[in-house]
Amino acid sequence: MRDLHLTLNQTQRVRLQAALDKLESLAAPTAAAAASVTVADTIPVNHEDNILKGHGTSELDGEVVATLCGVVERVNKLVYVRALRSRYKPEVGDIIVGRVIEIAPKRWRLEINFCQDAVLMLSSMNLPDGIQRRRTAVDELNMRSIFVENDVICAEVRGFQHDGSLHLQARSQKYGKLEKGQLLTVAAYLIKRRKQHFHHLEEFNVDLILGCNGFIWIGQHTETNNITNISDDNNINNISDEFMELETRRNICRIANAVRLLAVLGLTLTLEAVLETVKASVDADVAIGEMLGAEFYVMTVEREAERRASVSRKKGY
């Protein structure tokens, strides 16, 4: 259990072990499981095919062995190992959440959980007045009125620069500065690329953004028109100082704890999984602070085992 140290009593240990055994029994052997390797495992290949050794492979005593723990992938003659847990590997079009770490001439540098910083050019985003025009020296001088250090921003990967860093763009109304919420960091492999990464939870008045880079934003719902139609500093201050209801704060904390719990369990983070965990905590009358406790931890594992068993029965396994 990473980042969460729990003290389980004897009953909870028995329940947890039973749920884990059930999950293991439901894990049907697949082609991916058969191709799983650990360090120094031999990868079966036909040397007559003149195979190409890719990432995560090496040659030892005339055999191809794995240098990583992962799944063996084959593309034509290329053989490589795809690591199960790795850093974020960006692709064009990814929705990411980042934090501003530096303001440079005509650009902002962002930390996005990647090996290099991302760059958001002044010309790659909408101006506060919403007018499409060329950026001037005055706009460059007023960059701090848009974003400053430690601001959290949502943007889209536009491409890669010659030095390998990412080039971002935030021209759409849904992109921009994020306020009044929590920024969580999870392993990037827990978030799968989907058509929709922006979620408005109307029941809780909360916005949930699942960044492909492992940064998750949970904050008060904000209408996009209120962001893009800002015309002066007074309106910006009014929006920033707007009161957040206590119930909304509690909802944000409950959803954030649900995300933390799923991340510790190593479960894929989807909107359905988060909402199911939140609903389970409400139905069981679990306090927000107790969601990261031992009892709800075991309950979540048991619920996941029941869900997978139900899916298996429907498929006829």
Side-chain angles (χ1 to χ4, degrees):
M1 293 178 291
R2 303 177 303 277
D3 303 328
L4 188 62
H5 304 281
L6 301 177
T7 302
L8 304 177
N9 58 36
Q10 185 62 29
T11 303
Q12 291 170 341
R13 288 195 187 96
V14 173
R15 291 167 53 198
L16 178 61
Q17 188 60 46
L20 293 177
D21 292 342
K22 188 174 183 179
L23 287 173
E24 185 176 356
S25 65
L26 292 171
T30 60
S36 300
V37 294
T38 59
V39 177
D41 280 355
T42 301
I43 302 175
V45 296
N46 187 355
H47 294 280
E48 296 179 356
D49 293 338
N50 296 323
I51 60 101
L52 301 175
K53 297 182 293 295
H55 177 70
T57 64
S58 181
E59 187 171 355
L60 179 64
D61 297 333
E63 294 182 340
V64 179
V65 297
T67 59
L68 293 174
C69 295
V71 178
V72 177
E73 300 283 356
R74 303 172 189 268
V75 180
N76 296 329
K77 294 184 178 182
L78 176 64
V79 178
Y80 66 96
V81 178
R82 174 172 54 85
L84 296 178
R85 297 177 180 177
S86 59
R87 293 195 62 133
Y88 168 58
K89 296 181 180 179
E91 295 182 6
V92 175
D94 281 356
I95 305 300
I96 61 99
V97 177
R99 185 185 295 274
V100 178
I101 59 174
E102 181 186 355
I103 300 179
K106 297 183 181 180
R107 71 195 68 194
W108 294 271
R109 292 193 177 275
L110 280 70
E111 160 61 26
I112 61 166
N113 196 27
F114 184 48
C115 59
Q116 295 193 43
D117 298 332
V119 174
L120 176 62
M121 301 295 296
L122 177 62
S123 59
S124 298
M125 63 163 297
N126 289 332
L127 294 176
D129 55 16
I131 301 176
Q132 297 295 330
R133 56 178 174 79
R134 295 189 62 180
R135 276 50 171 175
T136 63
V138 176
D139 296 325
E140 186 175 353
L141 292 174
N142 293 331
M143 286 177 59
R144 286 188 174 275
S145 65
I146 304 175
F147 302 136
V148 297
E149 289 85 352
N150 294 323
D151 277 353
V152 180
I153 298 174
C154 179
E156 178 183 330
V157 177
R158 181 179 179 182
F160 298 87
Q161 295 185 330
H162 63 277
D163 59 352
S165 60
L166 293 185
H167 189 188
L168 308 178
Q169 67 93 6
R171 293 185 178 277
S172 175
Q173 294 181 355
K174 59 186 178 182
Y175 303 135
K177 184 177 179 179
L178 303 174
E179 295 181 299
K180 297 181 181 177
Q182 292 189 30
L183 177 65
L184 305 181
T185 303
V186 301
Y189 66 86
L190 295 178
I191 302 177
K192 306 302 180 184
R193 291 179 174 88
R194 295 174 176 264
K195 292 184 178 180
Q196 185 61 260
H197 286 264
F198 295 87
H199 305 286
H200 174 208
L201 312 183
E202 297 182 7
E203 179 182 357
F204 305 103
N205 190 32
V206 169
D207 286 335
L208 173 65
I209 303 178
L210 301 175
C212 294
N213 58 330
F215 285 0
I216 298 178
W217 174 259
I218 307 169
Q220 183 182 20
H221 175 64
T222 304
E223 296 294 339
T224 55
N225 292 336
N226 292 341
I227 299 177
T228 56
N229 293 335
I230 296 173
S231 58
D232 53 40
D233 294 338
N234 293 331
N235 289 339
I236 295 178
N237 294 332
N238 291 337
I239 292 177
S240 300
D241 297 337
E242 185 180 348
F243 176 75
M244 183 189 301
E245 297 181 356
L246 178 60
E247 188 63 25
T248 302
R249 296 173 185 263
R250 289 174 176 168
N251 291 336
I252 292 175
C253 293
R254 185 174 292 275
I255 296 172
N257 280 350
V259 171
R260 292 187 180 99
L261 181 58
L262 293 174
V264 169
L265 290 171
L267 301 177
T268 302
L269 292 171
T270 62
L271 175 64
E272 294 77 14
V274 173
L275 290 179
E276 184 179 349
T277 305
V278 172
K279 183 177 183 299
S281 68
V282 174
D283 293 342
D285 197 21
V286 177
I288 297 176
E290 296 297 326
M291 289 181 66
L292 300 179
E295 180 62 26
F296 192 66
Y297 179 93
V298 176
M299 290 173 56
T300 304
V301 178
E302 292 176 336
R303 190 177 67 254
E304 178 65 17
E306 289 296 332
R307 185 190 68 81
R308 296 190 183 185
S310 176
V311 172
S312 297
R313 287 193 296 268
K314 291 180 180 178
K315 291 183 178 180
Y317 290 159

